[in-house]
Amino acid sequence: MKTVIIGSGNLATHLSMALLRAGIPVCEVFSPTKAHAQELAEKQGARALDSLRDVSADADIVIISVKDDAIESVVAGLEHVNNDAIFIHTAGSVPLSVLSEKRKNAAVLYPLQTFSKTKELDFSIIPCFIEATNQRALGIVKEMAEKISNRVQIADSAVRRKIHLAAVFACNMANHCYYLAEKILEEEGLDFDIMLPIIKETAEKVETLSPRKAQTGPMVRNDITVMNAQKALLSDLLMIRLYELMAESIHKSCTNR
């Protein structure tokens, strides 16, 4: 099947390379920045495009892996692609309807992971959530997903939105906390890498314990003396507010556990 990928960012890069390793090469890569399209296309042995009008009209599968708010305009720019093509987007919080309103064969393949181009990942362990408008589209996206991941599950748009929300808390917010910790350490000329063992232990602990049971620290105990002393070390009002909100949430969630 002639497979096209729209996008050349972090997810598009990892997904297309996983597909290539699974024997599903991409024949065309689109990015509005030609150099970005060429960078990924060279890895695929594919044609680089910087105009949606140049996407092959006889494409069988079109994977759209762009910013959430750009998906709709991308679909509108691909009206010339044959009506039997399977259109797939990769977003967690975008409903299937953004495609199905325009294309009869629409599907979603949402990999639950954080992606950076320079960080290698084992795609086979990444949970992938799929849905589609009909059995043909579902069969194709399911086959594709199962070739690159051992954890494929059907999830409709409403469920995917909740999964994505959970991921924002577990990944994006947690990573922001790492950044804030880095800022605190930098004030004393300390390297962030001293945090790596505790971060690793925290992550490994929740593989066998629920996060609620794994929680420790002064916020669990509601140790006001320690918490007031820690807040006194913060000069950033936003960080103080975050500390207080986290303290309230942690203590409430761990009460009577």
Side-chain angles (χ1 to χ4, degrees):
M1 285 190 170
K2 181 180 286 188
T3 303
V4 176
I5 192 155
I6 308 298
S8 61
N10 295 330
L11 173 51
T13 297
H14 277 279
L15 177 58
S16 62
M17 295 308 295
L19 290 171
L20 178 63
R21 290 190 291 269
I24 308 173
V26 168
C27 65
E28 294 176 350
V29 176
F30 165 84
S31 171
T33 304
K34 189 66 173 285
H36 293 169
Q38 287 175 331
E39 182 181 2
L40 180 54
E42 287 174 4
K43 296 176 181 177
Q44 292 279 334
R47 189 163 69 111
L49 309 173
D50 61 358
S51 172
L52 290 174
R53 293 189 300 273
D54 293 334
V55 171
S56 293
D58 61 348
D60 299 300
I61 298 174
V62 178
I63 302 172
I64 301 173
S65 187
V66 298
K67 294 189 300 182
D68 290 5
D69 58 4
I71 295 174
E72 191 170 359
S73 62
V74 165
V75 178
L78 294 171
E79 290 182 345
H80 66 285
V81 176
N82 79 90
N83 197 42
D84 288 326
I86 309 292
F87 272 59
I88 302 170
H89 81 61
T90 61
S93 288
V94 177
L96 177 63
S97 60
V98 77
L99 298 180
S100 62
E101 289 174 356
K102 299 283 187 180
R103 310 294 305 199
K104 68 176 183 179
N105 298 313
V108 175
L109 196 170
Y110 167 51
L112 181 60
Q113 185 55 277
T114 175
F115 295 96
S116 297
K117 285 184 181 180
T118 56
K119 177 68 169 61
E120 291 297 322
L121 290 169
D122 180 0
F123 218 101
S124 69
I125 65 172
I126 297 174
C128 288
F129 299 92
I130 62 171
E131 70 168 323
T133 53
N134 55 55
Q135 286 302 310
R136 174 172 175 258
L138 183 63
I140 288 174
V141 75
K142 185 173 185 287
E143 181 181 3
M144 175 182 290
E146 288 179 343
K147 284 186 176 181
I148 60 175
S149 171
N150 297 325
R151 302 184 65 183
V152 178
Q153 183 176 333
I154 295 175
D156 66 21
S157 298
V159 172
R160 270 201 340 277
R161 281 197 294 267
K162 286 292 186 72
I163 293 169
H164 190 232
L165 173 60
V168 167
F169 275 88
C171 175
N172 304 136
M173 291 190 188
N175 188 71
H176 183 65
C177 287
Y178 298 159
Y179 162 69
L180 296 178
E182 183 179 50
K183 280 184 64 177
I184 291 168
L185 293 171
E186 284 178 347
E187 292 174 359
E188 299 301 323
L190 297 170
D191 292 329
F192 180 72
D193 65 7
I194 65 173
M195 293 287 108
L196 297 182
I198 196 170
I199 289 172
K200 182 179 180 182
E201 174 61 19
T202 302
E204 290 180 350
K205 192 185 296 185
V206 296
E207 293 182 10
T208 56
L209 287 174
S210 77
R212 182 167 176 260
K213 291 183 178 179
Q215 189 66 262
T216 63
M219 295 175 179
V220 173
R221 302 186 300 270
N222 199 30
D223 192 330
I224 301 298
T225 301
V226 172
M227 291 192 294
N228 284 341
Q230 290 185 335
K231 284 193 293 181
L233 296 173
L234 299 172
S235 57
D236 187 310
L237 293 179
L238 182 55
M239 287 178 70
I240 293 171
R241 284 171 56 201
L242 285 170
Y243 185 103
E244 291 173 341
L245 287 170
M246 280 287 196
E248 180 182 355
S249 182
I250 288 172
H251 181 65
K252 182 178 179 180
S253 67
C254 292
T255 300
N256 299 322
R257 63 177 176 180

